[in-house]
Amino acid sequence: MRELLHGRFARRLALAFAALGLGTAALTAVLVNIAFNDRFHNYLADQERVRQQQLVALFASDYQRDGSWETTSLDQLASTVAMTGSEAELRDAQGRKVWSLADTDAATPTMHRNMMGAGDLGPLRSLPVTVAGQRVGTLDVRVPQGVVPAVDKDFQNSVNRLLIGGALAVALAAAIVGVFTARRATAPIAELTRAAEDLAAGRRDRRATTIPDNEIGQLATAFNTMADRVEKEDELRRSFAADVAHELRTPLAIQRSELEAVQDGVREPTGKVITSLHDENLRLTRLVADLETLASADAAAFSLDRHPLSLTELVAATVSDLGDSFDEARITVRTELDEVRVDGDPGRLRQIVTNQLTNAVKFVPAGGMVTVRLFQHEGWAVLRVADTGPGIPADELSRVFDRFFRSRSARADGSGIGLAVAAELAAAHGGSLTAESEVGNGTIFTTRIPALTDDRGRFA
């Protein structure tokens, strides 16, 4: 079915090329014939005007010779007028009839027109007869319409035959070019379609191999990028599933062994046993909470409760709330907070800040320092959390915001989704979260969110 549709598209494209070529040739033929007919029409009109002026000049000469209209003299012009195949009637300056060819004994103009091979008579024209600048009469005349010479007709016919032949040749050439172009144009599309079907069928390693240097090539590149991302997400999910299974197995195994020991009477349900069970339950609770956070971040853009707020106060309060955690880890926290306001969800923003600070608690060794800076730059509220930790290896830095990714140096209580959630929440606010790091020189996380402006466009 796919090949049939592909063939139909190729045939339609080829027929479109042929139709375009044929239409262009037909339009050329029409324009050429219009030009020919216009030229012929002008040529025949010029001939008619010449005959009319010749007759007017004939009658003007007769009046000038006699100084008046003389019927006897005018009768002598009858044969000349009849030989032109024309019909004529003369009126004087007052509009009275003076002379008419029909009243003479001259041969009929029809006979002469037949002998000349002329066409039918043209429309009646009333032409002034002037002598020495004075109008002395009016000549009502109908002259034969011109006829296109046979040689001109043959020339036009030969041109038309040439145009018809050219049109057919152009249509054939356009069809051939169209078939070739259609096949080249549809081949990458067909290959991309097969790749998409294979990917949908579960072949995650399937990629588009035909990538032309055009818009279709851009589509193929985008498809391959999407397939890479899908494959990467699958790998991360499998890795995450294994990690979660491992994380769940350990506390569950501990809880089971402790409970079975109590049931069998091997151990007494002492406070130490209960505390151990409680700790393992807390580990399970944290893991489930991380999973809930990830699901919540997926819908963050649709559930933000946004309103103007002081980001400065929010960051300061978050740092203060985590003060005990930093004290226990013997980490010094230094803050440099300018007054910055944003339009955001305070709960989600606090989640972004908390994630970065708790991440520092995990990785910065005792005696280290975390610097929290907040300032405004070119319309952005910029939050930078810099630490003196061990840094992130270059091969892991580009993946720290991937879901389910856990660094080799990550502690056992992490699920690998915290930074991914923070990045998605920053994007939901129209901003971004980036990381800079060098092994041995710490890490800097930078969050950018649009700063709030007042009604006059100034930043509040």
Side-chain angles (χ1 to χ4, degrees):
M1 182 65 179
R2 182 181 67 247
E3 296 297 332
L4 179 59
L5 292 176
H6 167 58
R8 284 181 179 176
F9 177 74
R11 285 196 298 273
R12 288 173 182 172
L13 190 58
L15 289 175
F17 272 88
L20 180 61
L22 187 61
T24 301
L27 179 61
T28 302
V30 170
L31 294 177
V32 168
N33 277 275
I34 289 175
F36 267 117
N37 292 332
D38 185 64
R39 285 293 184 89
F40 288 146
H41 177 75
N42 292 337
Y43 169 73
L44 297 177
D46 290 340
Q47 283 186 329
E48 187 176 346
R49 283 192 295 271
V50 168
R51 293 192 185 100
Q52 292 170 352
Q53 294 302 323
Q54 287 175 343
L55 291 175
V56 170
L58 180 66
F59 282 89
S61 298
D62 185 82
Y63 182 91
Q64 188 174 15
R65 185 181 63 251
D66 298 333
S68 63
W69 297 118
E70 298 292 339
T71 303
T72 303
S73 178
L74 293 172
D75 287 340
Q76 295 177 359
L77 303 177
S79 58
T80 303
V81 175
M83 289 179 62
T84 65
S86 305
E87 293 181 356
E89 182 177 293
L90 180 64
R91 292 180 284 118
D92 60 15
Q94 286 73 38
R96 297 186 296 267
K97 177 179 176 181
V98 175
W99 178 86
S100 175
L101 178 64
D103 297 335
T104 65
D105 296 333
T108 62
T110 303
M111 180 182 67
H112 288 285
R113 286 197 299 273
N114 293 335
M115 293 174 60
M116 295 166 54
D120 297 332
L121 289 175
L124 178 65
R125 302 291 184 185
S126 296
L127 306 173
V129 181
T130 59
V131 176
Q134 182 179 0
R135 183 168 182 168
V136 296
T138 301
L139 183 64
D140 297 328
V141 63
R142 295 179 66 192
V143 300
Q145 293 180 323
V147 178
V148 178
V151 64
D152 292 337
K153 278 289 187 184
D154 291 341
F155 176 72
Q156 184 178 11
N157 293 333
S158 64
V159 170
N160 285 332
R161 287 193 296 271
L162 181 63
L163 289 174
I164 293 174
L168 296 177
V170 168
L172 179 61
I176 295 174
V177 173
V179 170
F180 175 75
T181 304
R183 290 186 179 278
R184 289 197 61 184
T186 55
I189 298 176
E191 201 273 338
L192 183 59
T193 302
R194 289 191 294 271
E197 291 176 347
D198 292 341
L199 183 66
R203 290 184 52 187
R204 294 293 188 254
D205 60 337
R206 185 67 162 90
R207 299 293 184 272
T209 57
T210 304
I211 305 178
D213 187 18
N214 53 28
E215 290 78 1
I216 298 177
Q218 295 176 3
L219 178 61
T221 301
F223 171 82
N224 287 343
T225 301
M226 178 197 69
D228 291 339
R229 185 63 182 269
V230 170
E231 185 177 20
K232 185 177 180 181
E233 290 286 346
D234 285 346
E235 292 176 357
L236 290 174
R237 285 186 174 89
R238 285 193 295 269
S239 176
F240 172 73
D243 290 340
V244 169
H246 174 75
E247 295 293 339
L248 290 173
R249 186 182 299 113
T250 301
L252 288 174
I254 293 174
Q255 289 181 0
R256 179 180 178 181
S257 64
E258 293 284 353
L259 290 172
E260 288 179 348
V262 172
Q263 286 177 336
D264 295 340
V266 177
R267 299 188 63 177
E268 295 294 329
T270 62
K272 183 179 179 181
V273 172
I274 294 175
T275 299
S276 175
L277 292 174
H278 181 261
D279 290 341
E280 298 306 321
N281 183 267
L282 289 178
R283 288 183 62 184
L284 291 173
T285 301
R286 283 195 298 269
L287 183 58
V288 172
D290 285 342
L291 295 175
E292 289 178 344
T293 301
L294 179 60
S296 176
D298 285 335
F302 306 100
S303 61
L304 293 180
D305 182 17
R306 304 179 70 155
H307 57 267
L309 57 92
S310 172
L311 186 59
T312 307
E313 295 178 1
L314 185 146
V315 173
T318 305
V319 173
S320 177
D321 292 342
L322 294 174
D324 292 341
S325 297
F326 283 106
D327 291 340
E328 292 176 6
R330 291 184 295 162
I331 299 173
T332 302
V333 180
R334 185 165 61 92
T335 59
E336 301 175 12
L337 308 178
D338 295 342
E339 180 57 36
V340 180
R341 293 181 61 80
V342 297
D343 182 41
D345 185 326
R348 302 295 190 181
L349 293 176
R350 183 182 292 272
Q351 192 173 354
I352 296 174
V353 181
T354 299
N355 178 275
Q356 296 178 61
L357 295 177
T358 55
N359 199 64
V361 172
K362 292 179 184 178
F363 291 96
V364 177
M369 176 180 289
V370 175
T371 302
V372 181
R373 289 188 60 206
L374 177 64
F375 57 94
Q376 191 168 294
H377 178 68
E378 295 182 352
W380 294 95
V382 182
L383 173 67
R384 284 184 178 167
V385 179
D387 63 53
T388 58
I392 303 173
D395 61 332
E396 296 182 358
L397 184 61
S398 61
R399 301 181 60 190
V400 294
F401 298 112
D402 290 345
R403 294 184 177 188
F404 321 127
F405 174 74
R406 296 181 64 191
S407 171
R408 293 188 297 270
S409 58
R411 298 182 184 178
D413 58 352
S415 60
I417 63 175
L419 288 176
V421 170
E424 292 194 21
L425 292 176
H429 281 82
S432 64
L433 175 59
T434 58
E436 304 172 41
S437 184
E438 184 177 344
V439 175
N441 292 322
T443 304
I444 301 175
F445 287 95
T446 303
T447 305
R448 290 180 174 83
I449 296 175
L452 190 63
T453 60
D454 60 18
D455 294 337
R456 288 173 289 184
R458 297 180 301 189
F459 293 103

